[in-house]
Amino acid sequence: MSQLTKPYESKWQAFLLLLPTFAVLIAFLYYPGVETFRLSLQQTILLGTRKTFVGLENYVTLATSSTYHWSFAISVAFAAVVVVGTLAASLFVAYLLFQVDVGSSTYLIAAIWPYALPTAVAASVLLFLLHPSLGIITYVLEALTGTSLEWFTNGPQAFAVVAVVAIWKQLGYNIIFMVAALNNVPETLTESARLDGVGHLQMLYRVYIPLMSPTLVFLVVMNTIYSFFQTFPLVDLMTSGGPNEATNLLIFKLYRDAFEFSNLGLASAESVVLFAVVAILMYVQLRLSESYTTYA
């Protein structure tokens, strides 16, 4: 009978091995979080060189600000569009890649390369390609649809363009996980479904998606974080929050309040609220997904 061996000789040895991880988490996550909350209870001037304790006044300001309400609403709408759009487009591309037998590696690299681009670089490239008067993509779209794309001055168009670019930028990340999940589906199950005459769409909907559900839940959470926190360069370089506040997402408004208007206290309160909103959304997503996720 084999003896069960412990990975560590003592608890202190395990603690010492985990100590660097704890140190990094405390230095770069928990301590900044505590400092941000402390700063959100203060009013600051001169980039934080002078501080006055004001309690919850910054939170009251946010709760009564119509500008903040607007940023909150369009941020939630933006996240919904990006999460749904990214998952749908990624699933479509991943399923096509999964069915390719020849040159699949080449197609996979071509599909995921946008994710390798730094977000700022991707935003700059897409800015020129989609420029209302100079962009080649805009020229082709206007020629095909007969409509004029003026997303520098049209709010809904600017919102749509930034959302499409955000979806395109995140496709590669999702495709990597989805292709891996599809490759983990037992081949015998696929062959049985084909012998039963199951079509491609039914195969995806009834066989693959249920088996991919843990991966899809993970991607929903990661895409939610991405849409709220990591799309700042896209907004900053492409629209600067405009036109008419149409793309003034919470993460961009937070940056402007902190570094353009030097209101670090209010920006810290916005950080705390944004963190709480995303945390609540992730909790709800994980709880709801428990009813639909299959862990085989």
Side-chain angles (χ1 to χ4, degrees):
M1 184 176 179
S2 61
Q3 296 294 327
L4 182 62
T5 58
K6 294 182 179 180
Y8 308 109
E9 295 180 357
S10 68
K11 293 182 179 179
W12 284 108
Q13 185 181 11
F15 176 76
L16 289 175
L17 290 172
L18 290 174
L19 189 58
T21 302
F22 287 137
V24 171
L25 288 175
I26 292 173
F28 296 102
L29 182 63
Y30 297 120
Y31 175 71
V34 172
E35 281 296 299
T36 299
F37 179 72
R38 187 181 64 82
L39 197 58
S40 71
L41 303 178
Q42 302 182 27
Q43 186 177 30
T44 63
I45 58 175
L46 300 176
L47 290 176
T49 56
R50 296 182 181 179
K51 305 173 185 175
T52 304
F53 181 79
V54 294
L56 298 177
E57 183 177 314
N58 288 322
Y59 293 96
V60 174
T61 301
L62 295 180
T64 56
S65 169
S66 59
T67 304
Y68 187 74
H69 295 167
W70 170 257
S71 292
F72 188 91
I74 63 170
S75 296
V76 173
F78 182 81
V81 171
V82 170
V83 171
V84 174
T86 304
L87 287 175
S90 302
L91 185 61
F92 175 73
V93 176
Y95 191 49
L96 292 179
L97 290 172
F98 176 66
Q99 295 183 318
V100 171
D101 295 325
V102 180
S104 58
S105 299
T106 304
Y107 290 120
L108 181 61
I109 293 172
I112 65 177
W113 77 265
Y115 184 68
L117 283 176
T119 307
V121 175
S124 300
V125 172
L126 269 295
L127 176 62
F128 285 106
L129 293 176
L130 294 167
H131 194 281
S133 58
L134 303 175
I136 182 65
I137 295 179
T138 299
Y139 175 79
V140 173
L141 289 176
E142 289 180 341
L144 293 176
T145 62
T147 58
S148 179
L149 297 179
E150 298 291 345
W151 56 273
F152 276 2
T153 56
N154 186 300
Q157 288 189 14
F159 181 91
V161 166
V162 176
V164 169
V165 173
I167 291 171
W168 170 79
K169 182 66 181 68
Q170 189 69 356
L171 283 181
Y173 182 85
N174 289 263
I175 289 171
I176 293 172
F177 284 93
M178 288 183 178
V179 169
L182 286 167
N183 285 325
N184 285 332
V185 176
E187 183 63 25
T188 54
L189 189 61
T190 302
E191 292 177 353
S192 298
R194 286 175 179 168
L195 290 175
D196 291 337
V198 178
H200 289 289
L201 290 179
Q202 283 190 332
M203 183 87 77
L204 176 64
Y205 178 70
R206 296 184 180 278
V207 178
Y208 292 136
I209 288 181
L211 294 175
M212 294 169 61
S213 52
T215 301
L216 295 178
V217 170
F218 167 75
L219 291 176
V220 167
V221 173
M222 297 306 295
N223 289 329
T224 301
I225 296 173
Y226 163 76
S227 60
F228 274 101
F229 289 110
Q230 300 175 15
T231 52
F232 169 79
L234 302 178
V235 176
D236 185 37
L237 293 172
M238 298 185 71
T239 63
S240 296
N244 299 322
E245 308 290 330
T247 58
N248 192 17
L249 305 180
L250 287 176
I251 190 67
F252 186 73
K253 185 180 185 308
L254 185 159
Y255 161 78
R256 295 184 66 188
D257 287 338
F259 299 106
E260 291 187 12
F261 306 128
S262 300
N263 197 339
L264 295 180
L266 186 64
S268 298
E270 293 177 22
S271 299
V272 174
V273 173
L274 182 58
F275 173 80
V277 168
V278 175
I280 292 172
L281 281 176
M282 287 192 294
Y283 176 78
V284 172
Q285 289 169 348
L286 292 174
R287 290 301 301 268
L288 289 177
S289 64
E290 289 179 355
S291 303
Y292 304 99
T293 304
T294 302
Y295 295 95

